[in-house]
C-alpha cells in the first residue's frame, strides 16, 4: 500500500503563489508515476501535472504550463506542486495520486491509471 497525504492548500489572491506537498509513505517503490489532479465543483477531476520518477520526466496540462512546477524531494519522500500566477479558475480540491505503472505524455492524465489517492487539499483563488 502507498499512503499519500496532501498539505499546503488555502486561500490566495489572483496572481499569488502557493506550494502543495504530497507526503508519500508505505510501499514507496510502487510510486513510479506521480501526479496532481484537481476537481472543481461540478467538474470532472483533471490532471494538472505528472512526473515519472525514475527519469524525472514531467508533464503538464496546457492550462498550467509555465505557471506550475511538479518536483520531488526524494530524501523526504515528498512530491511538491509549486503554483505561481494563480487564477480564479485554479480554484479546486487538489489531489495527489500514485501509480506503479510507467507514465508518458499520452497517459499520465488518465485517472484510471492511478491506484493510490490522497484525501485532497483545497485551493481557493479569489480576486
Amino acid at each position: 500500500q502507498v499512503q499519500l497525504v496532501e498539505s499546503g492548500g488555502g486561500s490566495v489572491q489572483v496572481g499569488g503563489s502557493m506550494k502543495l506537498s504530497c507526503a508519500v509513505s508505505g510501499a514507496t517503490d510502487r510510486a513510479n508515476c506521480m501526479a496532481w489532479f484537481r476537481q472543481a465543483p461540478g467538474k470532472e477531476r483533471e490532471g494538472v501535472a505528472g512526473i515519472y520518477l525514475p527519469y524525472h520526466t514531467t508533464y503538464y496540462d496546457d492550462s498550467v504550463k509555465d505557471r506550475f512546477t511538479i518536483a520531488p524531494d526524494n530524501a523526504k519522500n515528498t512530491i511538491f506542486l509549486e503554483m505561481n500566477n494563480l487564477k480564479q479558475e485554479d480554484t479546486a480540491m487538489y489531489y495527489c495520486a500514485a501509480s506503479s505503472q510507467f507514465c508518458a505524455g499520452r497517459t499520465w492524465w488518465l485517472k484510471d491509471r492511478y491506484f493510490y489517492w490522497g484525501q485532497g487539499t483545497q485551493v481557493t483563488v479569489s480576486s
Side-chain angles (χ1 to χ4, degrees):
Q1 290 286 344
V2 177
Q3 289 82 44
L4 306 173
V5 178
E6 303 95 335
S7 61
S11 298
V12 66
Q13 290 191 319
V14 169
S17 298
M18 189 176 287
K19 189 172 184 177
L20 305 182
S21 300
C22 173
V24 185
S25 61
T28 57
D29 58 317
R30 297 183 186 179
N32 286 323
C33 184
M34 301 286 302
W36 285 94
F37 285 76
R38 67 185 179 188
Q39 188 167 18
K43 294 190 175 182
E44 292 286 323
R45 191 171 298 190
E46 62 178 3
V48 174
I51 182 168
Y52 184 54
L53 289 174
Y55 296 143
H56 283 203
T57 307
T58 57
Y59 310 96
Y60 296 95
D61 183 76
D62 286 344
S63 66
V64 306
K65 203 171 291 184
D66 299 327
R67 297 190 300 123
F68 289 13
T69 301
I70 186 171
D73 181 335
N74 293 328
K76 297 181 179 179
N77 283 337
T78 302
I79 303 294
F80 297 106
L81 183 68
E82 186 164 1
M83 306 183 292
N84 297 311
N85 191 21
L86 282 160
K87 306 176 180 180
Q88 282 188 288
E89 50 264 43
D90 294 319
T91 295
M93 184 72 79
Y94 282 70
Y95 298 91
C96 180
S99 169
S100 60
Q101 300 179 31
F102 170 77
C103 58
R106 294 179 299 172
T107 59
W108 70 269
W109 50 271
L110 295 172
K111 297 187 295 292
D112 291 344
R113 293 181 66 87
Y114 295 89
F115 190 76
Y116 306 103
W117 292 85
Q119 293 300 306
T121 185
Q122 177 68 35
V123 173
T124 302
V125 185
S126 58
S127 60

